[in-house]
Amino acid sequence: MGGKTEFTLRWGILATGGIAAIFTRDLLAVPAARGVTDVKHEIVAIASSTSVERARQFAEDAGAGDNVECYGTYEELVANPNVDIIYVATPHGMHYENCKLCLEAGKNVLCEKAFTINEPQARHLIEIAREKRVFLMEAVWTRFFPLMRELQRVLFEERILGKIYKIASDCSLAFDPELSTQHRLLNPDLGGGALLDLGIYALTWVFVAAYDDPDNQRRAPKVASLMTKHRFTHVDETTVITLRFPSGVIATASTSMVVRTPEDCVCRISGEKGEITVQWAPFRPESFTIYKREGVTADAVAPGSVPKGEVREFKLPGHGMFYEADECARCIRDGKLESDIMPLEESRVIMEVMDTVRKQNDFTYPIDLERVYR
């Protein structure tokens, strides 16, 4: 790719939960298997807040090799001079504190989504990253899939739908109704609720097709919303958001912990020349379908008829988290402090949208979780 010498990015993994395990295995995948030859990844350190033994077990289970430094505190990880970038994989209620620790130590950071609990925290992290002149990015892995890049190409370069008018996206999963109220999804002390955990994906599809549209010029939308709350913990259980962008696009983004998104359509983008639907899963899609309306009027469509669509498939050679890691490597190699694909301002605006939704529905987290420490 581009004839550049292969660049190696050295990673530190902060936290040892399930998402960290998936990401670590993807980092260890051979880049050539996904057609990448200009960057590669090395894991040099892993930290668990529980114990050094937990970090060692994680490294062994992930196949990270024998030369990985293992720590029982995050402070030891950020002090390691061989670490180029730290992947923050804690629950999102801890992102602000953990990222702040890394950034203030002068480390580049890839932070899991949702970026933070609220917009002021996100804004503060961005300020620190710019002051320290280090790279920072929210790990919205779906943004970096080949499918997503092709979708934006056909929407914005090819203009296959013409002007976009309407978008509807959903990311919902029906979790166990007997889930413990102490589980992170239901516990307000851990930033629980559907919005921050699942709704970020529904909003991602809307922002990919509306906020990033050149007609919109990355201007923030107006927001209206409704939610229902869990009967015991009062975190949001089902949330529906309506967004109106300055370009004229009206979108809905919905999320729930009690029902499941339909397989056939996680996102529908409607324009003057047709529609595009994206198939399951909202966080890891492998196909979208294009429906064209060339020369067809409303009167000419028979009731109940279904137009024939063109399916475009993008099978993933693994879980897919390596694409965001490749973006980090290229940005750091090229001296960039943020990604053009997932810029910091977009992460901040999405957090601002979620803040607005929570305010409209009188949903707050404990003061200590919402606080900004300066």
Side-chain angles (χ1 to χ4, degrees):
M1 282 189 170
K4 294 187 177 183
T5 303
E6 188 177 50
F7 173 80
T8 301
L9 187 62
R10 301 174 301 176
W11 289 83
I13 308 297
L14 188 151
T16 53
I19 194 70
I22 296 171
F23 183 81
T24 298
R25 286 193 290 270
D26 263 18
L27 277 185
L28 297 172
V30 178
R34 58 184 180 273
V36 170
T37 58
D38 62 326
V39 296
K40 65 179 181 178
H41 308 279
E42 180 183 352
I43 299 170
V44 298
I46 296 169
S48 167
S49 63
T50 305
S51 67
V52 66
E53 288 76 21
R54 172 70 184 122
R56 286 177 182 145
Q57 187 62 54
F58 177 91
E60 181 180 340
D61 293 344
D66 299 329
N67 297 322
V68 176
E69 295 288 341
C70 293
Y71 304 113
T73 69
Y74 297 153
E75 287 77 10
E76 291 174 287
L77 175 66
V78 302
N80 187 321
N82 296 318
V83 171
D84 298 322
I85 185 170
I86 294 176
Y87 172 61
V88 174
T90 48
H92 46 250
M94 302 175 183
H95 287 176
Y96 172 65
E97 176 185 349
N98 298 151
C99 287
K100 187 171 179 288
L101 173 70
C102 298
L103 294 170
E104 289 179 339
K107 294 299 186 185
N108 301 300
V109 171
L110 173 66
C111 176
E112 263 306 331
K113 73 249 156 283
F115 200 23
T116 51
I117 284 293
N118 56 37
E119 187 275 343
Q121 290 181 350
R123 181 160 27 96
H124 189 211
L125 293 182
I126 293 168
E127 290 171 1
I128 297 171
R130 288 174 175 165
E131 178 188 342
K132 295 289 186 178
R133 296 199 57 77
V134 291
F135 176 83
L136 173 64
M137 190 178 84
E138 184 181 10
V140 188
W141 61 314
T142 316
R143 293 293 299 255
F144 301 93
F145 288 2
L147 177 148
M148 193 68 84
R149 312 314 306 147
E150 175 63 7
L151 176 65
Q152 289 197 311
R153 189 194 69 78
V154 299
L155 287 176
F156 305 147
E157 296 178 25
E158 190 176 331
R159 286 292 180 180
I160 198 166
L161 299 185
K163 181 174 176 56
I164 298 171
Y165 292 128
K166 188 175 73 168
I167 302 165
S169 68
D170 183 78
C171 182
S172 299
L173 290 171
F175 292 104
D176 183 353
E178 301 303 319
L179 200 64
S180 167
T181 55
Q182 296 306 305
H183 191 280
R184 66 172 184 83
L185 287 167
L186 299 183
N187 190 341
D189 293 332
L190 299 177
L195 179 62
L196 267 64
D197 197 84
L198 301 174
I200 183 67
Y201 289 108
L203 286 169
T204 291
W205 287 106
V206 168
F207 270 66
V208 160
Y211 182 85
D212 290 356
D213 189 336
D215 288 348
N216 190 66
Q217 300 176 352
R218 286 185 164 170
R219 290 173 291 173
K222 292 183 178 180
V223 179
S225 64
L226 291 169
M227 70 170 53
T228 58
K229 298 176 183 177
H230 189 269
R231 64 189 184 278
F232 297 129
T233 67
H234 308 297
V235 299
D236 77 298
E237 193 172 70
T238 298
T239 296
V240 178
I241 310 166
T242 302
L243 308 99
R244 188 186 189 281
F245 288 83
S247 63
V249 173
I250 292 180
T252 57
S254 54
T255 184
S256 178
M257 295 192 291
V258 293
V259 295
R260 189 177 189 273
T261 305
E263 293 277 344
D264 61 334
C265 185
V266 304
C267 178
R268 183 183 301 274
I269 305 165
S270 303
E272 61 183 332
K273 297 180 181 179
E275 296 183 324
I276 291 177
T277 63
V278 182
Q279 286 68 60
W280 181 269
F283 35 82
R284 191 180 179 275
E286 293 188 311
S287 70
F288 65 79
T289 305
I290 302 169
Y291 300 93
K292 295 182 180 180
R293 289 198 302 270
E294 297 173 335
V296 177
T297 65
D299 294 337
V301 179
S305 65
V306 178
K308 185 176 181 181
E310 175 198 343
V311 179
R312 298 193 183 182
E313 291 190 303
F314 302 82
K315 295 299 181 183
L316 295 170
H319 202 76
M321 302 190 90
F322 34 62
Y323 293 121
E324 63 183 356
D326 293 343
E327 173 71 3
C328 293
R330 292 182 182 118
C331 287
I332 291 170
R333 176 197 65 192
D334 297 341
K336 297 173 65 174
L337 300 183
E338 62 181 294
S339 165
D340 294 330
I341 299 172
M342 189 67 241
L344 293 171
E345 176 62 9
E346 190 159 345
S347 289
R348 188 199 67 77
V349 170
I350 291 175
M351 290 307 312
E352 189 172 56
V353 167
M354 292 195 285
D355 281 1
T356 300
V357 171
R358 290 200 294 121
K359 184 176 181 181
Q360 289 174 349
N361 293 276
D362 192 26
F363 175 24
T364 60
Y365 290 111
I367 292 175
D368 286 346
L369 204 60
E370 300 257 18
R371 185 170 294 162
V372 173
Y373 298 89
R374 293 186 180 272

